[in-house]
Amino acid sequence: MSNTTPPEGVVSAASDAEGIVIVRVFDAPRELVFKAWTEAERFATWFGEHGSTIPLDKVSMDARPGGAWSATMIYGPDKVELSFSGTFLEVVEPERVSLAFEDPEGSGFEEVLTAVLKDLGDGRTEMTFTQRGGNLPADEYSRALRGSLIFFDRMAEHLSASLKTRHDQEHEGDNDRSPRPTS
């Protein structure tokens, strides 16, 4: 068995009749991945398909057990709105977040989304994501799996951009401090 940690990206992904499981590594610290799940401004940047948007006035996150969350994704050329909502079930900073996901079609069923975050010790995080409920046919879980993989690609892009912004802010003016040649 190797001691090497996996590279950034998807380690494994599977769906069955009960739900989906995705293991993915992000090139970002665990605290930042946790915030992507619990802060509205961050959540809005990654939750949704490519080309979709979630305006900040259409997302709310009360990240505490029993707290409500909601987001309205706008997608497609006709700007179709799809609303998502539920409640936070578990919030253990920065290790775990679990939330109920109510069917946007109004069927009354609920799925449970859980992200368990493992600090890999080198500024990277392994996320084990599960969606469970058994409320969908197996082919719908397969589709949900593909959609979640897209969402997490978008999360990786958001995390990378956040880290670049943080780095740039921390090193702003570094060039101004370089020694000046003397004559």
Side-chain angles (χ1 to χ4, degrees), residues 35-47 53-62 68-74 81-85 88:
K35 288 177 181 181
W37 278 100
T38 58
E39 294 180 0
E41 312 77 42
R42 296 176 189 278
F43 189 83
T45 65
W46 68 267
F47 191 83
T53 60
I54 297 178
L56 281 180
D57 65 338
K58 302 244 183 204
V59 61
S60 66
M61 309 292 278
D62 183 6
W69 74 273
S70 66
T72 300
M73 179 175 68
I74 301 170
E81 290 191 13
L82 183 59
S83 295
F84 301 97
S85 64
F88 282 92

Side-chain angles (χ1 to χ4, degrees), residues 126-182:
E126 180 182 88
M127 178 183 75
T128 301
F129 169 81
T130 58
Q131 177 179 336
R132 292 286 182 223
N135 296 299
L136 301 173
D139 65 320
E140 284 294 314
Y141 279 122
S142 178
R143 197 175 105 202
L145 173 72
R146 290 189 304 274
S148 293
L149 290 169
I150 292 168
F151 286 24
F152 299 144
D153 284 347
R154 291 185 63 181
M155 181 188 280
E157 292 166 7
H158 159 74
L159 294 168
S160 177
S162 293
L163 288 170
K164 182 184 180 324
T165 299
R166 185 188 321 180
H167 177 268
D168 290 351
Q169 289 171 345
E170 288 172 356
H171 297 283
E172 192 173 282
D174 281 359
N175 291 338
D176 297 339
R177 289 183 226 145
S178 57
R180 304 221 186 264
T182 56

Side-chain angles (χ1 to χ4, degrees), residues 2-158:
S2 170
N3 271 346
T4 61
T5 55
E8 196 268 344
V10 176
V11 175
S12 65
S15 66
D16 60 22
E18 293 300 312
I20 65 177
V21 178
I22 298 170
V23 178
R24 181 181 175 123
V25 173
F26 293 101
D27 282 334
R30 181 167 68 161
E31 294 76 14
L32 192 57
V33 178
F34 182 84
K35 288 177 181 181
W37 278 100
T38 58
E39 294 180 0
E41 312 77 42
R42 296 176 189 278
F43 189 83
T45 65
W46 68 267
F47 191 83
E49 299 279 336
H50 289 299
S52 68
T53 60
I54 297 178
L56 281 180
D57 65 338
K58 302 244 183 204
V59 61
S60 66
M61 309 292 278
D62 183 6
R64 60 185 172 85
W69 74 273
S70 66
T72 300
M73 179 175 68
I74 301 170
Y75 68 97
D78 297 329
K79 304 291 184 200
V80 175
E81 290 191 13
L82 183 59
S83 295
F84 301 97
S85 64
T87 56
F88 282 92
L89 303 173
E90 231 182 323
V91 181
V92 182
E93 188 173 352
E95 303 168 6
R96 178 183 179 94
V97 61
S98 183
L99 49 97
F101 179 87
E102 297 170 6
D103 176 26
E105 304 295 320
S107 72
F109 81 73
E110 192 174 85
E111 296 281 305
V112 175
L113 310 180
T114 302
V116 176
L117 309 173
K118 178 182 175 186
D119 183 353
L120 295 178
D122 58 358
R124 296 180 314 134
T125 303
E126 180 182 88
M127 178 183 75
T128 301
F129 169 81
T130 58
Q131 177 179 336
R132 292 286 182 223
N135 296 299
L136 301 173
D139 65 320
E140 284 294 314
Y141 279 122
S142 178
R143 197 175 105 202
L145 173 72
R146 290 189 304 274
S148 293
L149 290 169
I150 292 168
F151 286 24
F152 299 144
D153 284 347
R154 291 185 63 181
M155 181 188 280
E157 292 166 7
H158 159 74

